[in-house]
PDB file of all heavy atoms in Angstrom:
ATOM      1  N   THR A   1      13.992 -21.858  -4.826  1.00 80.00           N
ATOM      2  CA  THR A   1      12.952 -21.365  -5.702  1.00 80.00           C
ATOM      3  C   THR A   1      11.570 -21.702  -5.138  1.00 80.00           C
ATOM      4  O   THR A   1      10.628 -20.911  -5.183  1.00 80.00           O
ATOM      5  CB  THR A   1      13.092 -21.945  -7.105  1.00 80.00           C
ATOM      6  OG1 THR A   1      14.324 -21.488  -7.684  1.00 80.00           O
ATOM      7  CG2 THR A   1      11.931 -21.533  -7.999  1.00 80.00           C
ATOM      8  N   ARG A   2      11.448 -22.918  -4.602  1.00 86.00           N
ATOM      9  CA  ARG A   2      10.166 -23.338  -4.024  1.00 86.00           C
ATOM     10  C   ARG A   2       9.824 -22.535  -2.785  1.00 86.00           C
ATOM     11  O   ARG A   2       8.672 -22.176  -2.554  1.00 86.00           O
ATOM     12  CB  ARG A   2      10.176 -24.841  -3.736  1.00 86.00           C
ATOM     13  CG  ARG A   2      10.317 -25.674  -4.995  1.00 86.00           C
ATOM     14  CD  ARG A   2      10.358 -27.167  -4.687  1.00 86.00           C
ATOM     15  NE  ARG A   2      10.710 -27.955  -5.861  1.00 86.00           N
ATOM     16  CZ  ARG A   2       9.866 -28.359  -6.777  1.00 86.00           C
ATOM     17  NH1 ARG A   2       8.549 -28.063  -6.648  1.00 86.00           N
ATOM     18  NH2 ARG A   2      10.249 -29.071  -7.819  1.00 86.00           N
ATOM     19  N   ILE A   3      10.823 -22.248  -1.973  1.00 86.00           N
ATOM     20  CA  ILE A   3      10.615 -21.419  -0.790  1.00 86.00           C
ATOM     21  C   ILE A   3      10.184 -20.017  -1.206  1.00 86.00           C
ATOM     22  O   ILE A   3       9.239 -19.438  -0.635  1.00 86.00           O
ATOM     23  CB  ILE A   3      11.900 -21.349   0.064  1.00 86.00           C
ATOM     24  CG1 ILE A   3      12.209 -22.739   0.659  1.00 86.00           C
ATOM     25  CG2 ILE A   3      11.758 -20.314   1.191  1.00 86.00           C
ATOM     26  CD1 ILE A   3      13.545 -22.808   1.360  1.00 86.00           C
ATOM     27  N   LEU A   4      10.878 -19.445  -2.210  1.00 81.00           N
ATOM     28  CA  LEU A   4      10.485 -18.127  -2.703  1.00 81.00           C
ATOM     29  C   LEU A   4       9.084 -18.139  -3.286  1.00 81.00           C
ATOM     30  O   LEU A   4       8.328 -17.176  -3.185  1.00 81.00           O
ATOM     31  CB  LEU A   4      11.497 -17.665  -3.753  1.00 81.00           C
ATOM     32  CG  LEU A   4      12.906 -17.293  -3.248  1.00 81.00           C
ATOM     33  CD1 LEU A   4      13.810 -16.976  -4.414  1.00 81.00           C
ATOM     34  CD2 LEU A   4      12.835 -16.133  -2.277  1.00 81.00           C
ATOM     35  N   GLY A   5       8.733 -19.272  -3.894  1.00 84.00           N
ATOM     36  CA  GLY A   5       7.369 -19.416  -4.404  1.00 84.00           C
ATOM     37  C   GLY A   5       6.320 -19.302  -3.300  1.00 84.00           C
ATOM     38  O   GLY A   5       5.280 -18.661  -3.487  1.00 84.00           O
ATOM     39  N   VAL A   6       6.625 -19.918  -2.154  1.00 88.00           N
ATOM     40  CA  VAL A   6       5.730 -19.821  -0.995  1.00 88.00           C
ATOM     41  C   VAL A   6       5.617 -18.354  -0.541  1.00 88.00           C
ATOM     42  O   VAL A   6       4.495 -17.854  -0.228  1.00 88.00           O
ATOM     43  CB  VAL A   6       6.220 -20.697   0.154  1.00 88.00           C
ATOM     44  CG1 VAL A   6       5.387 -20.475   1.424  1.00 88.00           C
ATOM     45  CG2 VAL A   6       6.169 -22.164  -0.247  1.00 88.00           C
ATOM     46  N   VAL A   7       6.772 -17.642  -0.527  1.00 83.00           N
ATOM     47  CA  VAL A   7       6.751 -16.226  -0.136  1.00 83.00           C
ATOM     48  C   VAL A   7       5.900 -15.421  -1.091  1.00 83.00           C
ATOM     49  O   VAL A   7       5.098 -14.565  -0.664  1.00 83.00           O
ATOM     50  CB  VAL A   7       8.202 -15.682  -0.098  1.00 83.00           C
ATOM     51  CG1 VAL A   7       8.200 -14.169   0.141  1.00 83.00           C
ATOM     52  CG2 VAL A   7       9.015 -16.389   0.972  1.00 83.00           C
ATOM     53  N   VAL A   8       6.053 -15.664  -2.391  1.00 82.00           N
ATOM     54  CA  VAL A   8       5.263 -14.934  -3.393  1.00 82.00           C
ATOM     55  C   VAL A   8       3.781 -15.215  -3.217  1.00 82.00           C
ATOM     56  O   VAL A   8       2.933 -14.309  -3.345  1.00 82.00           O
ATOM     57  CB  VAL A   8       5.740 -15.314  -4.806  1.00 82.00           C
ATOM     58  CG1 VAL A   8       4.808 -14.688  -5.853  1.00 82.00           C
ATOM     59  CG2 VAL A   8       7.169 -14.838  -5.039  1.00 82.00           C
ATOM     60  N   ILE A   9       3.445 -16.451  -2.906  1.00 89.00           N
ATOM     61  CA  ILE A   9       2.011 -16.792  -2.673  1.00 89.00           C
ATOM     62  C   ILE A   9       1.479 -16.016  -1.485  1.00 89.00           C
ATOM     63  O   ILE A   9       0.359 -15.456  -1.522  1.00 89.00           O
ATOM     64  CB  ILE A   9       1.865 -18.310  -2.464  1.00 89.00           C
ATOM     65  CG1 ILE A   9       2.133 -19.065  -3.752  1.00 89.00           C
ATOM     66  CG2 ILE A   9       0.456 -18.639  -1.931  1.00 89.00           C
ATOM     67  CD1 ILE A   9       2.162 -20.585  -3.573  1.00 89.00           C
ATOM     68  N   LEU A  10       2.248 -15.956  -0.390  1.00 86.00           N
ATOM     69  CA  LEU A  10       1.817 -15.209   0.786  1.00 86.00           C
ATOM     70  C   LEU A  10       1.617 -13.736   0.478  1.00 86.00           C
ATOM     71  O   LEU A  10       0.648 -13.120   0.919  1.00 86.00           O
ATOM     72  CB  LEU A  10       2.856 -15.382   1.917  1.00 86.00           C
ATOM     73  CG  LEU A  10       2.971 -16.787   2.521  1.00 86.00           C
ATOM     74  CD1 LEU A  10       4.092 -16.812   3.540  1.00 86.00           C
ATOM     75  CD2 LEU A  10       1.655 -17.200   3.166  1.00 86.00           C
ATOM     76  N   VAL A  11       2.542 -13.174  -0.309  1.00 79.00           N
ATOM     77  CA  VAL A  11       2.418 -11.772  -0.714  1.00 79.00           C
ATOM     78  C   VAL A  11       1.154 -11.567  -1.541  1.00 79.00           C
ATOM     79  O   VAL A  11       0.404 -10.602  -1.361  1.00 79.00           O
ATOM     80  CB  VAL A  11       3.660 -11.327  -1.513  1.00 79.00           C
ATOM     81  CG1 VAL A  11       3.412  -9.968  -2.162  1.00 79.00           C
ATOM     82  CG2 VAL A  11       4.884 -11.280  -0.634  1.00 79.00           C
ATOM     83  N   GLY A  12       0.884 -12.500  -2.460  1.00 81.00           N
ATOM     84  CA  GLY A  12      -0.317 -12.427  -3.264  1.00 81.00           C
ATOM     85  C   GLY A  12      -1.573 -12.484  -2.413  1.00 81.00           C
ATOM     86  O   GLY A  12      -2.538 -11.739  -2.655  1.00 81.00           O
ATOM     87  N   LEU A  13      -1.582 -13.345  -1.407  1.00 86.00           N
ATOM     88  CA  LEU A  13      -2.740 -13.450  -0.505  1.00 86.00           C
ATOM     89  C   LEU A  13      -2.957 -12.143   0.241  1.00 86.00           C
ATOM     90  O   LEU A  13      -4.100 -11.723   0.462  1.00 86.00           O
ATOM     91  CB  LEU A  13      -2.531 -14.601   0.472  1.00 86.00           C
ATOM     92  CG  LEU A  13      -2.598 -16.016  -0.114  1.00 86.00           C
ATOM     93  CD1 LEU A  13      -2.189 -17.063   0.910  1.00 86.00           C
ATOM     94  CD2 LEU A  13      -4.009 -16.317  -0.646  1.00 86.00           C
ATOM     95  N   ILE A  14      -1.856 -11.520   0.638  1.00 78.00           N
ATOM     96  CA  ILE A  14      -1.945 -10.227   1.352  1.00 78.00           C
ATOM     97  C   ILE A  14      -2.571  -9.163   0.453  1.00 78.00           C
ATOM     98  O   ILE A  14      -3.501  -8.451   0.829  1.00 78.00           O
ATOM     99  CB  ILE A  14      -0.556  -9.778   1.843  1.00 78.00           C
ATOM    100  CG1 ILE A  14      -0.059 -10.721   2.935  1.00 78.00           C
ATOM    101  CG2 ILE A  14      -0.613  -8.344   2.354  1.00 78.00           C
ATOM    102  CD1 ILE A  14       1.376 -10.479   3.357  1.00 78.00           C
ATOM    103  N   PHE A  15      -2.061  -9.073  -0.791  1.00 72.00           N
ATOM    104  CA  PHE A  15      -2.555  -8.034  -1.703  1.00 72.00           C
ATOM    105  C   PHE A  15      -3.976  -8.311  -2.165  1.00 72.00           C
ATOM    106  O   PHE A  15      -4.735  -7.399  -2.475  1.00 72.00           O
ATOM    107  CB  PHE A  15      -1.624  -7.871  -2.897  1.00 72.00           C
ATOM    108  CG  PHE A  15      -0.566  -6.846  -2.678  1.00 72.00           C
ATOM    109  CD1 PHE A  15       0.599  -7.170  -2.004  1.00 72.00           C
ATOM    110  CD2 PHE A  15      -0.738  -5.547  -3.100  1.00 72.00           C
ATOM    111  CE1 PHE A  15       1.561  -6.234  -1.729  1.00 72.00           C
ATOM    112  CE2 PHE A  15       0.226  -4.599  -2.874  1.00 72.00           C
ATOM    113  CZ  PHE A  15       1.376  -4.925  -2.175  1.00 72.00           C
ATOM    114  N   ALA A  16      -4.344  -9.586  -2.254  1.00 76.00           N
ATOM    115  CA  ALA A  16      -5.709  -9.916  -2.646  1.00 76.00           C
ATOM    116  C   ALA A  16      -6.700  -9.707  -1.519  1.00 76.00           C
ATOM    117  O   ALA A  16      -7.919  -9.748  -1.718  1.00 76.00           O
ATOM    118  CB  ALA A  16      -5.784 -11.382  -3.113  1.00 76.00           C
ATOM    119  N   GLY A  17      -6.196  -9.414  -0.298  1.00 78.00           N
ATOM    120  CA  GLY A  17      -7.043  -9.156   0.838  1.00 78.00           C
ATOM    121  C   GLY A  17      -7.489 -10.403   1.576  1.00 78.00           C
ATOM    122  O   GLY A  17      -8.364 -10.343   2.419  1.00 78.00           O
ATOM    123  N   TRP A  18      -6.859 -11.533   1.268  1.00 83.00           N
ATOM    124  CA  TRP A  18      -7.244 -12.808   1.881  1.00 83.00           C
ATOM    125  C   TRP A  18      -6.359 -13.173   3.061  1.00 83.00           C
ATOM    126  O   TRP A  18      -6.585 -14.191   3.706  1.00 83.00           O
ATOM    127  CB  TRP A  18      -7.229 -13.911   0.824  1.00 83.00           C
ATOM    128  CG  TRP A  18      -8.212 -13.674  -0.279  1.00 83.00           C
ATOM    129  CD1 TRP A  18      -9.414 -13.049  -0.167  1.00 83.00           C
ATOM    130  CD2 TRP A  18      -8.061 -13.998  -1.677  1.00 83.00           C
ATOM    131  NE1 TRP A  18     -10.054 -12.983  -1.384  1.00 83.00           N
ATOM    132  CE2 TRP A  18      -9.242 -13.541  -2.324  1.00 83.00           C
ATOM    133  CE3 TRP A  18      -7.069 -14.620  -2.394  1.00 83.00           C
ATOM    134  CZ2 TRP A  18      -9.424 -13.719  -3.699  1.00 83.00           C
ATOM    135  CZ3 TRP A  18      -7.261 -14.800  -3.766  1.00 83.00           C
ATOM    136  CH2 TRP A  18      -8.428 -14.343  -4.404  1.00 83.00           C
ATOM    137  N   LEU A  19      -5.331 -12.366   3.311  1.00 77.00           N
ATOM    138  CA  LEU A  19      -4.449 -12.576   4.437  1.00 77.00           C
ATOM    139  C   LEU A  19      -4.203 -11.219   5.069  1.00 77.00           C
ATOM    140  O   LEU A  19      -3.369 -10.455   4.583  1.00 77.00           O
ATOM    141  CB  LEU A  19      -3.137 -13.233   3.992  1.00 77.00           C
ATOM    142  CG  LEU A  19      -2.212 -13.783   5.090  1.00 77.00           C
ATOM    143  CD1 LEU A  19      -2.928 -14.904   5.875  1.00 77.00           C
ATOM    144  CD2 LEU A  19      -0.926 -14.313   4.489  1.00 77.00           C
ATOM    145  N   PRO A  20      -4.936 -10.863   6.137  1.00 71.00           N
ATOM    146  CA  PRO A  20      -4.912  -9.501   6.663  1.00 71.00           C
ATOM    147  C   PRO A  20      -3.684  -9.174   7.506  1.00 71.00           C
ATOM    148  O   PRO A  20      -3.779  -8.822   8.668  1.00 71.00           O
ATOM    149  CB  PRO A  20      -6.179  -9.477   7.530  1.00 71.00           C
ATOM    150  CG  PRO A  20      -6.322 -10.892   8.005  1.00 71.00           C
ATOM    151  CD  PRO A  20      -5.824 -11.751   6.859  1.00 71.00           C
ATOM    152  N   ILE A  21      -2.502  -9.279   6.898  1.00 67.00           N
ATOM    153  CA  ILE A  21      -1.295  -8.886   7.598  1.00 67.00           C
ATOM    154  C   ILE A  21      -0.369  -8.146   6.622  1.00 67.00           C
ATOM    155  O   ILE A  21      -0.550  -8.266   5.396  1.00 67.00           O
ATOM    156  CB  ILE A  21      -0.540 -10.083   8.176  1.00 67.00           C
ATOM    157  CG1 ILE A  21      -0.114 -11.055   7.038  1.00 67.00           C
ATOM    158  CG2 ILE A  21      -1.362 -10.813   9.220  1.00 67.00           C
ATOM    159  CD1 ILE A  21       0.760 -12.192   7.495  1.00 67.00           C
ATOM    160  N   GLY A  22       0.563  -7.420   7.145  1.00 52.00           N
ATOM    161  CA  GLY A  22       1.619  -6.844   6.312  1.00 52.00           C
ATOM    162  C   GLY A  22       1.236  -5.635   5.488  1.00 52.00           C
ATOM    163  O   GLY A  22       2.056  -5.135   4.735  1.00 52.00           O
ATOM    164  N   ARG A  23       0.010  -5.143   5.597  1.00 51.00           N
ATOM    165  CA  ARG A  23      -0.401  -3.989   4.793  1.00 51.00           C
ATOM    166  C   ARG A  23      -0.220  -2.698   5.581  1.00 51.00           C
ATOM    167  O   ARG A  23      -1.179  -2.016   5.958  1.00 51.00           O
ATOM    168  CB  ARG A  23      -1.866  -4.138   4.342  1.00 51.00           C
ATOM    169  CG  ARG A  23      -2.097  -5.330   3.446  1.00 51.00           C
ATOM    170  CD  ARG A  23      -1.472  -5.089   2.082  1.00 51.00           C
ATOM    171  NE  ARG A  23      -2.063  -3.951   1.435  1.00 51.00           N
ATOM    172  CZ  ARG A  23      -3.232  -3.979   0.808  1.00 51.00           C
ATOM    173  NH1 ARG A  23      -3.903  -5.086   0.720  1.00 51.00           N
ATOM    174  NH2 ARG A  23      -3.710  -2.905   0.229  1.00 51.00           N
ATOM    175  N   ARG A  24       1.031  -2.411   5.924  1.00 49.00           N
ATOM    176  CA  ARG A  24       1.312  -1.221   6.739  1.00 49.00           C
ATOM    177  C   ARG A  24       1.382   0.018   5.883  1.00 49.00           C
ATOM    178  O   ARG A  24       1.794  -0.004   4.749  1.00 49.00           O
ATOM    179  CB  ARG A  24       2.625  -1.411   7.507  1.00 49.00           C
ATOM    180  CG  ARG A  24       2.541  -2.474   8.560  1.00 49.00           C
ATOM    181  CD  ARG A  24       3.876  -2.610   9.283  1.00 49.00           C
ATOM    182  NE  ARG A  24       4.900  -3.168   8.392  1.00 49.00           N
ATOM    183  CZ  ARG A  24       6.153  -3.313   8.760  1.00 49.00           C
ATOM    184  NH1 ARG A  24       6.558  -2.925   9.928  1.00 49.00           N
ATOM    185  NH2 ARG A  24       7.027  -3.841   7.913  1.00 49.00           N
ATOM    186  N   ASP A  25       0.987   1.137   6.501  1.00 45.00           N
ATOM    187  CA  ASP A  25       1.023   2.432   5.812  1.00 45.00           C
ATOM    188  C   ASP A  25       2.100   3.285   6.467  1.00 45.00           C
ATOM    189  O   ASP A  25       1.820   4.083   7.362  1.00 45.00           O
ATOM    190  CB  ASP A  25      -0.347   3.105   5.909  1.00 45.00           C
ATOM    191  CG  ASP A  25      -0.391   4.412   5.147  1.00 45.00           C
ATOM    192  OD1 ASP A  25       0.579   4.711   4.472  1.00 45.00           O
ATOM    193  OD2 ASP A  25      -1.422   5.111   5.272  1.00 45.00           O
ATOM    194  N   LEU A  26       3.372   3.067   6.097  1.00 43.00           N
ATOM    195  CA  LEU A  26       4.480   3.800   6.679  1.00 43.00           C
ATOM    196  C   LEU A  26       4.917   4.915   5.750  1.00 43.00           C
ATOM    197  O   LEU A  26       5.062   4.726   4.565  1.00 43.00           O
ATOM    198  CB  LEU A  26       5.637   2.857   6.957  1.00 43.00           C
ATOM    199  CG  LEU A  26       5.335   1.672   7.901  1.00 43.00           C
ATOM    200  CD1 LEU A  26       6.611   0.855   8.082  1.00 43.00           C
ATOM    201  CD2 LEU A  26       4.816   2.169   9.236  1.00 43.00           C
ATOM    202  N   ARG A  27       5.143   6.080   6.322  1.00 46.00           N
ATOM    203  CA  ARG A  27       5.548   7.243   5.512  1.00 46.00           C
ATOM    204  C   ARG A  27       6.656   7.991   6.225  1.00 46.00           C
ATOM    205  O   ARG A  27       6.698   8.068   7.441  1.00 46.00           O
ATOM    206  CB  ARG A  27       4.359   8.187   5.293  1.00 46.00           C
ATOM    207  CG  ARG A  27       3.124   7.495   4.761  1.00 46.00           C
ATOM    208  CD  ARG A  27       1.908   8.415   4.820  1.00 46.00           C
ATOM    209  NE  ARG A  27       0.717   7.754   4.348  1.00 46.00           N
ATOM    210  CZ  ARG A  27      -0.505   8.303   4.378  1.00 46.00           C
ATOM    211  NH1 ARG A  27      -0.674   9.495   4.878  1.00 46.00           N
ATOM    212  NH2 ARG A  27      -1.537   7.635   3.930  1.00 46.00           N
ATOM    213  N   LEU A  28       7.512   8.580   5.459  1.00 44.00           N
ATOM    214  CA  LEU A  28       8.496   9.491   6.045  1.00 44.00           C
ATOM    215  C   LEU A  28       7.765  10.786   6.380  1.00 44.00           C
ATOM    216  O   LEU A  28       7.004  11.310   5.566  1.00 44.00           O
ATOM    217  CB  LEU A  28       9.628   9.770   5.050  1.00 44.00           C
ATOM    218  CG  LEU A  28      10.500   8.576   4.685  1.00 44.00           C
ATOM    219  CD1 LEU A  28      11.555   9.007   3.677  1.00 44.00           C
ATOM    220  CD2 LEU A  28      11.141   7.956   5.896  1.00 44.00           C
ATOM    221  N   THR A  29       7.992  11.296   7.588  1.00 44.00           N
ATOM    222  CA  THR A  29       7.218  12.450   8.015  1.00 44.00           C
ATOM    223  C   THR A  29       7.862  13.798   7.608  1.00 44.00           C
ATOM    224  O   THR A  29       7.167  14.785   7.500  1.00 44.00           O
ATOM    225  CB  THR A  29       7.052  12.435   9.547  1.00 44.00           C
ATOM    226  OG1 THR A  29       8.361  12.361  10.159  1.00 44.00           O
ATOM    227  CG2 THR A  29       6.266  11.189   9.964  1.00 44.00           C
ATOM    228  N   ARG A  30       9.153  13.805   7.379  1.00 47.00           N
ATOM    229  CA  ARG A  30       9.801  15.056   7.034  1.00 47.00           C
ATOM    230  C   ARG A  30      10.790  14.840   5.892  1.00 47.00           C
ATOM    231  O   ARG A  30      11.648  13.976   5.955  1.00 47.00           O
ATOM    232  CB  ARG A  30      10.543  15.640   8.265  1.00 47.00           C
ATOM    233  CG  ARG A  30       9.661  15.966   9.429  1.00 47.00           C
ATOM    234  CD  ARG A  30      10.424  16.683  10.480  1.00 47.00           C
ATOM    235  NE  ARG A  30      10.909  18.007  10.027  1.00 47.00           N
ATOM    236  CZ  ARG A  30      11.662  18.798  10.764  1.00 47.00           C
ATOM    237  NH1 ARG A  30      12.023  18.451  11.981  1.00 47.00           N
ATOM    238  NH2 ARG A  30      12.045  19.954  10.259  1.00 47.00           N
ATOM    239  N   MET A  31      10.637  15.629   4.868  1.00 47.00           N
ATOM    240  CA  MET A  31      11.577  15.609   3.746  1.00 47.00           C
ATOM    241  C   MET A  31      11.825  17.035   3.296  1.00 47.00           C
ATOM    242  O   MET A  31      10.888  17.833   3.232  1.00 47.00           O
ATOM    243  CB  MET A  31      11.021  14.767   2.572  1.00 47.00           C
ATOM    244  CG  MET A  31      10.925  13.294   2.850  1.00 47.00           C
ATOM    245  SD  MET A  31      10.207  12.397   1.461  1.00 47.00           S
ATOM    246  CE  MET A  31      11.499  12.624   0.235  1.00 47.00           C
ATOM    247  N   PRO A  32      13.054  17.385   2.993  1.00 47.00           N
ATOM    248  CA  PRO A  32      13.352  18.766   2.608  1.00 47.00           C
ATOM    249  C   PRO A  32      12.826  19.082   1.205  1.00 47.00           C
ATOM    250  O   PRO A  32      12.924  18.247   0.298  1.00 47.00           O
ATOM    251  CB  PRO A  32      14.878  18.814   2.635  1.00 47.00           C
ATOM    252  CG  PRO A  32      15.267  17.401   2.355  1.00 47.00           C
ATOM    253  CD  PRO A  32      14.237  16.533   2.998  1.00 47.00           C
TER     254      PRO A  32
END
């Protein structure tokens, strides 16, 4: 749980814009 807590904190830092990694813009290019 504590390890997952660290992961959640890192994710929060990314979304808050304080950790500039992991914000990739990946899209599927073809869909029927």
